[in-house]
């Protein structure tokens, strides 16, 4: 079984990023992200294009090799955009619905420890949930009570893209343990998750807000009801 990272793919990503480096933009990006990891100043769409192009130039031999390559790029990154590219590589069709990617996403969330990385794998977590609902529901329920706030945020935002496939029982289960949390990124995530589900099930979201009005922060409530017109007191 192939487990070594593809160093040609890693080098292609790094080379492509450095070709587009913009020192002036990099300084602003690093300040905005409050990042100790330097930035190259490459725009997100360009990072995505470079990662996709490198994967076409050096096609992964197997899902195992691609996982190893993602982790190599992530762990050895010296610029923030390299970590973005590592996340972008996980969009490869070879990894779609691959439950073996869960530890990779968890490492990204825990070691990245910031909103851009946690939110960057949110769609991947959602895809795993849709492909493996029973297993992932258990994991996400555990994550919702994890000491690490970014793991809890990932649990809360795990169904942002699920739409009609959203599991409302799971949504409630991951939000409820965090309702009293005073951390901004948790409160914002709660409101965001509810606002997205309100596009599909507005009555459910209104009912959830009403039931939990005593515990829900004003920020979460405001975000949850942003798209609703029915009369729930904010």
């Amino acid at each position: 079984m192939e487990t070594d990272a593809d160093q040609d793919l890693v080098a292609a990503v790094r080379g492509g990023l450095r070709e587009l480096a913009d020192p002036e933009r990099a300084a602003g990006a690093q300040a905005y992200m409050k990042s100790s990891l330097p930035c190259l100043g490459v725009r997100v769409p360009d990072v995505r294009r470079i990662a996709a192009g490198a994967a076409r130039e050096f096609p992964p031999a197997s899902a195992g090799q691609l996982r190893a390559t993602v982790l190599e790029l992530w762990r050895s990154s010296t610029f923030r955009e390299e970590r973005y590219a590592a996340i972008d590589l996980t969009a490869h069709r070879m990894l779609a619905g691959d439950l073996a990617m869960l530890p990779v996403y968890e490492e990204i969330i825990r070691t990245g420890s910031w909103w851009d990385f946690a939110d960057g794998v949110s769609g991947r977590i959602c895809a795993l949930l849709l492909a493996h609902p029973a297993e992932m529901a258990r994991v996400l329920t555990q994550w919702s009570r994890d000491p690490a706030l970014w793991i809890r945020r990932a649990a809360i935002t795990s169904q942002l893209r699920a739409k009609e496939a959203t599991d409302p029982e799971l949504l409630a289960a991951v939000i409820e343990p965090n309702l009293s949390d005073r951390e901004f990124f948790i409160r914002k995530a709660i409101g965001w998750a509810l606002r997205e589900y309100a596009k599909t099930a507005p009555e459910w979201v209104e009912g959830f807000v009403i039931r939990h009005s005593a515990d829900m922060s004003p920020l979460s409530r405001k975000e949850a009801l942003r798209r609703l017109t029915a009369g729930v007191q904010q």
Side-chain angles (χ1 to χ4, degrees):
M1 182 175 64
E2 182 64 69
T3 58
D4 292 335
D6 185 336
Q7 297 298 337
D8 290 332
L9 176 51
V10 171
V13 168
R14 287 183 169 147
L17 291 174
R18 280 158 179 74
E19 286 180 4
L20 294 184
D22 181 339
E24 183 175 348
R25 191 173 186 278
Q30 185 173 358
Y32 173 74
M33 294 307 303
K34 301 178 181 178
S35 174
S36 59
L37 191 65
C39 294
L40 286 166
V42 182
R43 299 179 183 276
V44 169
D46 289 327
V47 175
R48 190 170 295 121
R49 177 178 57 78
I50 289 167
R56 286 193 299 270
E57 184 179 0
F58 300 99
S62 67
Q65 184 191 60
L66 185 51
R67 284 194 298 272
T69 303
V70 168
L71 286 172
E72 167 67 19
L73 185 56
W74 176 267
R75 292 169 178 171
S76 63
S77 292
T78 55
F79 293 96
R80 202 168 192 89
E81 288 88 345
E82 291 174 352
R83 290 193 153 188
Y84 293 159
I87 292 173
D88 289 335
L89 287 176
T90 68
H92 196 285
R93 63 183 181 279
M94 189 175 284
L95 299 179
D98 184 359
L99 198 57
M101 283 299 295
L102 181 59
V104 178
Y105 300 139
E106 183 173 358
E107 178 173 335
I108 287 172
I109 296 165
R110 289 190 186 279
T111 61
S113 294
W114 200 236
W115 64 266
D116 54 342
F117 298 136
D119 295 354
V121 298
S122 176
R124 315 292 195 263
I125 298 294
C126 184
L128 288 184
L129 174 61
L130 296 179
H132 309 277
E135 298 93 327
M136 287 300 299
R138 287 193 294 271
V139 169
L140 294 170
T141 301
Q142 293 172 351
W143 281 17
S144 71
R145 299 176 181 274
D146 195 277
L149 79 90
W150 302 111
I151 289 290
R152 286 186 281 116
R153 179 179 169 96
I156 294 165
T157 61
S158 61
Q159 297 193 82
L160 286 176
R161 301 184 186 183
K163 299 182 180 179
E164 292 83 2
T166 296
D167 178 347
E169 291 185 4
L170 177 60
L171 183 61
V174 297
I175 289 177
E176 287 169 350
N178 294 283
L179 283 171
S180 61
D181 196 304
R182 299 184 63 82
E183 168 59 53
F184 168 81
F185 288 104
I186 294 296
R187 293 183 171 191
K188 188 76 172 180
I190 291 171
W192 187 16
L194 291 171
R195 185 179 75 231
E196 286 302 303
Y197 191 41
K199 298 175 183 178
T200 298
E203 295 85 0
W204 188 95
V205 172
E206 286 187 12
F208 184 89
V209 171
I210 290 171
R211 290 194 304 276
H212 296 286
S213 59
D215 301 316
M216 187 175 291
S217 73
L219 173 60
S220 296
R221 185 165 57 250
K222 179 180 179 180
E223 289 296 316
L225 301 177
R226 184 181 294 277
R227 295 179 178 273
L228 302 180
T229 57
V232 178
Q233 292 298 316
Q234 299 189 34

